[in-house]
Amino acid sequence: MRLATLSVGGKPSAVVELGNGSWLVVAQAAGASNSDALKAGSLQAIIEAGDDAAPALRELVSQAEAGQHAGAVVTDPQLMAPIPQPRKNVFCVGRNYAEHIAEGDRAQNQKVGVTEHPVFFTKPPTSIVAPGGDILLFPDVSTSIDYEVELAVIIGQPGRNITRRDAYDHIFGYTILNDVTARDVQRRHGGQYFKGKGLDGSCPVGPWIVTADEISDPHKLSIGLTVNGEQRQDGTTADMIFDIPTLIASLSEGLTLEPGDIIATGTPSGVGYAMDPPRFLAAGDTVVCTVSEIGELSNSVRVA
């Protein structure tokens, strides 16, 4: 299933895609359902309910496909981020594609190479941007705003010290994330990731979440990014150094992952700062991130 969030009466409300491309507003269709999660109406509530909500949600979709719940069907929604206000920071993985590591080392005249363990950092909830929303520029703060397309994992089942073997059991679904980065800010704060990657408007996410059962193999997806139609990144998730089970196992060591947590899994080569000369984002640019079996995440760029 494809699940998304749109604003209904000023309140975020979960929607599920129907076969004809329209969207069913879950809470509006769930009046007679015995699922409190569906009636609550948020995608977070559905994720938290997990397997308990899935049969009732599929029943609503079946009913809508048969012509019921017509008043709850939207044909052209203005989507919000799937989880508009995550309860925690977004977890991110750095240096997880070999060619991206190599281009970064060349650009910075250094030799770090592949690390023994995954590199983790976070982006705050205030960085979240909706599909079609704006990536923000702060010219007095940074003149080197860059892009990074990533496959993002949405946690469904909570857990701590999750084994690689059990990792997929904890995944609700997948989405697309753009890890927008202020490279100059990152460097002037000692090279640490958080400040340069945590600015407002630096985390476009969406356009929807595709449930895990709909993705054939998360390590066989094409992943790419264009700026104003020009292909900048073009890779495959097969090139991840640390695969998704390894990332979940490593991140969850002594740290509880919870429903709705977002984990961005790293970016392939082609980022702007590693080009010769570097090419950063500018006001008026359109950035489109693509991951096969999920779709496209498009955002414009403007001065805040």
Side-chain angles (χ1 to χ4, degrees), residues 42 48 64 104 111 150 165 203-204 259:
S42 74
E48 289 178 358
K111 183 61 177 178
E150 311 206 8
R165 182 187 65 244
C203 191

Side-chain angles (χ1 to χ4, degrees), residues 25-38:
V25 181
V26 175
Q28 291 182 5
S33 171
N34 59 4
S35 171
D36 291 337
L38 300 190

Side-chain angles (χ1 to χ4, degrees), residues 16-24 61 64-65:
V16 58
E17 188 179 34
L18 302 177
N20 63 2
S22 62
W23 295 85
L24 180 70
V61 170
E65 300 279 14

Side-chain angles (χ1 to χ4, degrees), residues 155-195:
I155 294 297
Q157 294 297 320
R160 182 177 63 215
N161 299 326
I162 300 166
T163 66
R164 291 189 75 258
R165 182 187 65 244
D166 296 334
Y168 285 118
D169 294 336
H170 293 262
I171 297 175
F172 177 82
Y174 301 88
T175 190
I176 306 170
L177 184 146
N178 188 349
D179 177 18
V180 176
T181 305
R183 302 293 183 190
D184 45 0
V185 174
Q186 181 178 342
R187 290 176 189 136
R188 72 172 174 251
H189 286 272
Q192 59 85 27
Y193 289 79
F194 179 75
K195 178 62 178 175

Side-chain angles (χ1 to χ4, degrees), residues 32-291:
S33 171
N34 59 4
S35 171
D36 291 337
L38 300 190
K39 293 177 182 178
S42 74
L43 191 43
Q44 177 67 41
I46 293 172
I47 294 170
E48 289 178 358
D51 292 341
D52 291 339
L57 183 57
R58 292 191 184 95
E59 178 63 21
L60 286 186
V61 170
S62 178
Q63 292 170 355
E65 300 279 14
Q68 299 182 49
H69 312 302
V73 175
V74 179
T75 57
D76 188 23
Q78 184 66 45
L79 297 180
M80 305 173 71
I83 304 175
Q85 293 182 306
R87 293 180 174 177
K88 297 192 301 203
N89 283 15
V90 175
F91 296 109
C92 300
V93 178
R95 307 177 67 82
N96 200 28
Y97 286 74
E99 289 187 5
H100 177 54
I101 293 174
E103 70 177 357
D105 284 354
R106 287 194 301 270
Q108 299 179 73
N109 193 26
Q110 63 182 10
K111 183 61 177 178
V112 176
V114 178
T115 57
E116 182 180 357
H117 302 283
V119 174
F120 294 113
F121 61 95
T122 69
K123 298 171 80 79
T126 46
S127 67
I128 296 292
V129 181
D134 294 329
I135 296 167
L136 299 179
L137 302 179
F138 300 91
D140 293 338
V141 178
S142 173
T143 58
S144 304
I145 299 295
D146 209 348
Y147 51 81
E148 295 187 1
V149 60
E150 311 206 8
L151 172 68
V153 174
I154 309 299
I155 294 297
Q157 294 297 320
R160 182 177 63 215
N161 299 326
I162 300 166
T163 66
R164 291 189 75 258
R165 182 187 65 244
D166 296 334
Y168 285 118
D169 294 336
H170 293 262
I171 297 175
F172 177 82
Y174 301 88
T175 190
I176 306 170
L177 184 146
N178 188 349
D179 177 18
V180 176
T181 305
R183 302 293 183 190
D184 45 0
V185 174
Q186 181 178 342
R187 290 176 189 136
R188 72 172 174 251
H189 286 272
Q192 59 85 27
Y193 289 79
F194 179 75
K195 178 62 178 175
K197 290 175 173 285
L199 301 183
D200 292 354
S202 67
C203 191
V205 183
W208 39 66
I209 295 172
V210 178
T211 52
D213 61 303
E214 295 287 336
I215 299 296
S216 59
D217 185 339
H219 295 105
K220 292 183 180 179
L221 303 176
S222 61
I223 180 170
L225 179 145
T226 64
V227 179
N228 302 326
E230 176 191 0
Q231 195 78 46
R232 297 283 186 89
Q233 294 185 274
D234 186 12
T236 170
T237 58
D239 290 337
M240 286 185 194
I241 296 167
F242 302 103
D243 63 13
I244 291 168
T246 299
L247 295 177
I248 289 175
S250 179
L251 182 59
S252 69
E253 290 176 347
L255 186 158
T256 300
L257 298 179
E258 299 176 297
D261 282 352
I262 303 169
I263 306 173
T265 59
T267 196
S269 61
V271 295
Y273 88 92
M275 300 178 77
D276 187 15
R279 298 172 67 184
F280 296 110
L281 296 177
D285 285 348
T286 298
V287 183
V288 179
C289 300
T290 305
V291 177

